[in-house]
Amino acid sequence: MGKLLKKEDLNKFLYKIKTKQELVAPVETDAVRFETVKFISQIILDKIPEFPPKKYFLPSNDEMFQFRGSKILGTKKQPSRIIFGIRQCDVNAINVLDKVFLGKNPDPLYKERREKTTLIAIKCSKEIEKNCFCTSMNLSNFADLYFHDIGDSFFIEVGSDKGLKLVSRLKDYEYQTGPINTKKRLFKKDIARYYNNKAWKDAANKCISCGICTNVCPTCLCYKQKEFSDTKTDIGTKKRSWVSCQHKNFWEDTDENAMDFDKTKMLKHRVYHKLSYFKKNYRIGMCTGCGRCITQCPAKIDFVKIINKFK
């Protein structure tokens, strides 16, 4: 049993949300990306955002806390927000981040952001991203609300009490939902025996090590930490910032054990981490099939095509 919202009432529904807390959704600026909504008319639902909503949980340049000496002075209070228009690939990507940042030793900043965020997903009713292959990745629904386009209305699956509070006054409705279909598929997921295949080197020769693939990936989560000090106030700040395993400086170290930069090894590291290494530790794949790393790669490297050609 779910809920029913007529499309003509969607703007009213979103406006009501916006008056109570921050509303984030896909908007078009220089690109389609998740941003705080100023006007409901800004929201774009017929295009896949070029960047995931990861920055709302793990910002690219994140102040972790301030300190004086050995005493932690505290962290900034995080806002409550609703992210609307998120797709199933990005919802599953947040579940991947949860596995890492909400594990045995939860990250307090991530935990607060996660608890204060409500996810309203919308199903891709048609293929709107040619490189998406999410149907190959065994995705699940982790959203608080999941919108399905059924013509003149949205059928809404309720996934949590948080979500139910937003739609409790809507009409109950039953509807049998179907799977998402994509033309692009990843046929081989067990790629261990192909590690030394020449195709990886051929692809890496085209790579320019720009790091776009990791910047647009919804599950890349590597960062480095650095401390900054203010000599006037004697207050220090600890920050973390994204780093890319495709950049040479990612592997640089101050000791003699720094790993030699090899583009073939780096490409394989990224792909094998997504499809194999992470799964061994967390029992789920790290890649959610959004296809952004393929679409936005300036060298046109398509790891799905590479793997599908293996015999």
Side-chain angles (χ1 to χ4, degrees):
M1 181 71 72
K3 297 288 185 177
L4 189 71
L5 176 69
K6 290 190 175 296
K7 286 185 177 177
E8 62 189 45
D9 294 328
L10 176 62
N11 285 1
K12 189 189 300 182
F13 172 77
L14 294 174
Y15 181 78
K16 186 176 180 180
I17 288 174
K18 184 176 174 296
T19 59
K20 294 181 179 180
Q21 56 186 305
E22 180 185 1
L23 175 63
V24 170
V27 301
E28 192 159 17
T29 53
D30 58 323
V32 179
R33 63 179 80 225
F34 287 92
E35 298 289 354
T36 300
V37 174
K38 295 181 180 178
F39 306 101
I40 301 300
S41 59
Q42 290 179 296
I43 297 174
I44 301 289
L45 294 179
D46 60 349
K47 297 179 182 179
I48 296 292
E50 294 172 44
F51 300 88
K54 178 174 65 176
K55 66 180 182 180
Y56 292 100
F57 305 97
L58 188 67
S60 59
N61 189 26
D62 195 12
E63 181 180 308
M64 300 173 70
F65 57 82
Q66 290 188 324
F67 61 91
R68 179 182 282 119
S70 60
K71 182 180 180 181
I72 295 178
L73 302 179
T75 59
K76 293 180 180 179
K77 186 178 180 181
Q78 303 301 309
S80 294
R81 61 169 58 99
I82 289 179
I83 300 180
F84 173 75
I86 185 172
R87 305 291 172 157
Q88 194 170 25
C89 54
D90 285 338
V91 172
N92 279 259
I94 293 170
N95 183 54
V96 169
L97 299 181
D98 287 352
K99 297 292 184 184
V100 176
F101 292 101
L102 298 180
K104 292 182 179 179
N105 298 296
D107 181 288
L109 265 181
Y110 182 90
K111 185 173 184 289
E112 184 182 358
R113 289 168 180 151
R114 190 71 176 87
E115 290 174 349
K116 289 185 173 181
T117 302
T118 302
L119 302 176
I120 303 181
I122 185 166
K123 181 187 176 185
C124 296
S125 55
K126 59 181 180 179
E127 188 176 55
I128 56 178
E129 170 48 61
K130 65 179 181 179
N131 286 312
C132 171
F133 56 99
C134 66
T135 51
S136 302
M137 306 315 291
N138 300 319
L139 304 186
S140 300
N141 178 21
F142 297 100
D144 298 292
L145 294 174
Y146 194 17
F147 278 48
H148 298 258
D149 187 338
I150 58 171
D152 62 355
S153 300
F154 289 106
F155 170 67
I156 306 173
E157 283 186 78
V158 179
S160 71
D161 291 339
K162 249 193 321 189
L164 181 59
K165 287 180 181 178
L166 296 173
V167 296
S168 60
R169 294 187 179 183
L170 295 180
K171 177 183 176 182
D172 289 339
Y173 195 77
E174 288 189 11
Y175 182 79
Q176 186 64 43
T177 62
I180 297 172
N181 293 309
T182 62
K183 292 179 183 177
K184 195 178 188 76
R185 298 290 178 96
L186 176 63
F187 296 113
K188 296 182 182 72
K189 295 177 196 171
D190 185 5
I191 57 175
R193 65 192 180 100
Y194 302 106
Y195 188 83
N196 293 316
N197 193 287
K198 182 177 176 294
W200 295 119
K201 185 174 183 179
D202 293 340
N205 285 337
K206 298 188 294 182
C207 178
I208 61 174
S209 303
C210 64
I212 287 177
C213 53
T214 56
N215 281 346
V216 299
C217 177
T219 64
C220 277
L221 44 72
C222 291
Y223 62 84
K224 286 188 177 181
Q225 299 179 158
K226 193 172 182 179
E227 293 180 357
F228 301 85
S229 60
D230 186 333
T231 55
K232 293 181 179 179
T233 62
D234 198 30
I235 292 176
T237 303
K238 190 160 191 173
K239 294 184 178 182
R240 59 185 170 196
S241 55
W242 293 355
V243 289
S244 172
C245 63
Q246 302 305 294
H247 287 163
K248 184 177 182 179
N249 61 3
F250 181 87
W251 302 97
E252 290 176 346
D253 206 333
T254 55
D255 59 29
E256 296 179 355
N257 298 318
M259 183 174 177
D260 291 334
F261 184 72
D262 181 309
K263 288 196 293 185
T264 303
K265 288 181 180 178
M266 300 312 102
L267 173 61
K268 290 192 289 187
H269 171 80
R270 181 174 69 85
V271 175
Y272 277 76
H273 188 201
K274 300 295 180 185
L275 300 178
S276 180
Y277 306 155
F278 189 87
K279 193 171 185 178
K280 289 179 181 178
N281 292 322
Y282 295 98
R283 298 184 180 179
I284 61 170
M286 200 176 192
C287 178
T288 61
C290 72
R292 290 184 179 100
C293 63
I294 300 170
T295 298
Q296 299 193 44
C297 176
K300 306 300 181 186
I301 297 172
D302 185 336
F303 77 86
V304 174
K305 281 185 179 179
I306 293 170
I307 292 171
N308 286 345
K309 288 180 180 179
F310 289 151
K311 294 179 181 180

